[in-house]
Amino acid sequence: MSKKKNGKDPEVQETPVTDEQQGCTLTQEEMDEVRAHVEALQKQLDETVNLLQRNQADFDNFRRRNASVRADSYEEGKRDVITSLLPILDDFDRVAEAESKDEAWAEGVKLVHRKLTETLQKQGLCEVETDGDFDPNLHNAVMAEAVEGVEKGKIIAVFQKGYRVKDKIVRHSMVKVSE
């Protein structure tokens, strides 16, 4: 009698069983349970994929909105700083127009005025036009006067310059308008 190792006959060779060779018999009830389980897993997978796609879209929208808010906030901050500097620019305008006995001092003031104006212009500051017709979107009429030879609604005097930064008005021009 031959010796068996580990309870197996040494003369019988084992061949590995592949998936194709393995047979499985299921009852109709078991098959229906497997199909239901597969369908439930597929539904769960589809829901997870949809959730991930929605999350990705929400994140993309958040990123775009955040970039837009950041840019708007930067521009608003820039306009606030420029607006706070406008009274200083007005003072320089008045000093530059005034007569001075000290020419060197007057030239120094004009130089500083020019540098301030150029710096603000690089940041987008533009003077509001005051030649021509009154526009309530650009001008603030503080006085009205009937002037012979001037048609109604024309600007006849400017009391304070108006400014805009890019497309936003930061200060309306204060003007006198013909009646």
Side-chain angles (χ1 to χ4, degrees):
M1 190 173 192
S2 63
K3 287 185 158 183
K4 291 183 179 180
K5 293 181 180 178
N6 298 331
K8 295 183 183 178
D9 190 359
E11 294 176 9
V12 177
Q13 292 182 348
E14 289 185 32
T15 57
V17 178
T18 63
D19 287 341
E20 294 171 0
Q21 294 172 339
Q22 218 174 29
C24 184
T25 306
L26 297 176
T27 65
Q28 184 63 39
E29 186 178 301
E30 290 172 329
M31 189 63 171
D32 291 342
E33 285 179 24
V34 169
R35 280 192 183 120
H37 185 67
V38 168
E39 288 173 2
L41 289 175
Q42 185 62 46
K43 183 179 178 184
Q44 186 179 6
L45 174 65
D46 292 343
E47 289 172 356
T48 303
V49 168
N50 287 337
L51 178 64
L52 290 173
Q53 288 173 339
R54 281 193 308 273
N55 284 343
Q56 182 65 44
D58 287 346
F59 183 71
D60 289 341
N61 290 338
F62 167 77
R63 198 168 6 128
R64 269 193 303 274
R65 188 171 46 252
N66 196 29
S68 174
V69 165
R70 183 176 176 266
D72 291 345
S73 296
Y74 175 76
E75 290 299 319
E76 184 66 30
K78 189 165 56 169
R79 283 191 298 270
D80 287 346
V81 169
I82 290 172
T83 300
S84 67
L85 292 174
L86 290 180
I88 297 168
L89 187 61
D90 293 337
D91 292 341
F92 272 115
D93 284 339
R94 285 188 283 276
V95 170
E97 292 172 3
E99 293 294 321
S100 173
K101 294 179 184 175
D102 187 355
E103 287 299 316
W105 182 82
E107 282 302 312
V109 168
K110 288 178 184 177
L111 177 65
V112 173
H113 177 256
R114 187 171 57 248
K115 281 185 177 181
L116 177 61
T117 303
E118 288 172 359
T119 301
L120 292 174
Q121 287 172 346
K122 286 178 186 174
Q123 295 302 314
L125 182 71
C126 297
E127 192 174 322
V128 172
E129 292 295 321
T130 54
D131 296 336
D133 293 333
F134 172 76
D135 182 352
N137 297 318
L138 304 174
H139 311 113
N140 182 15
V142 293
M143 292 179 71
E145 183 179 314
V147 178
E148 195 173 309
V150 178
E151 63 184 81
K152 183 178 180 174
K154 294 287 185 181
I155 297 172
I156 53 177
V158 178
F159 300 118
Q160 186 178 47
K161 292 179 182 178
Y163 294 97
R164 62 184 162 89
V165 175
K166 296 185 179 177
D167 60 341
K168 303 265 183 175
I169 299 293
V170 292
R171 185 173 77 187
H172 292 80
S173 299
M174 289 182 17
V175 296
K176 179 194 252 184
V177 183
S178 63
E179 292 184 321

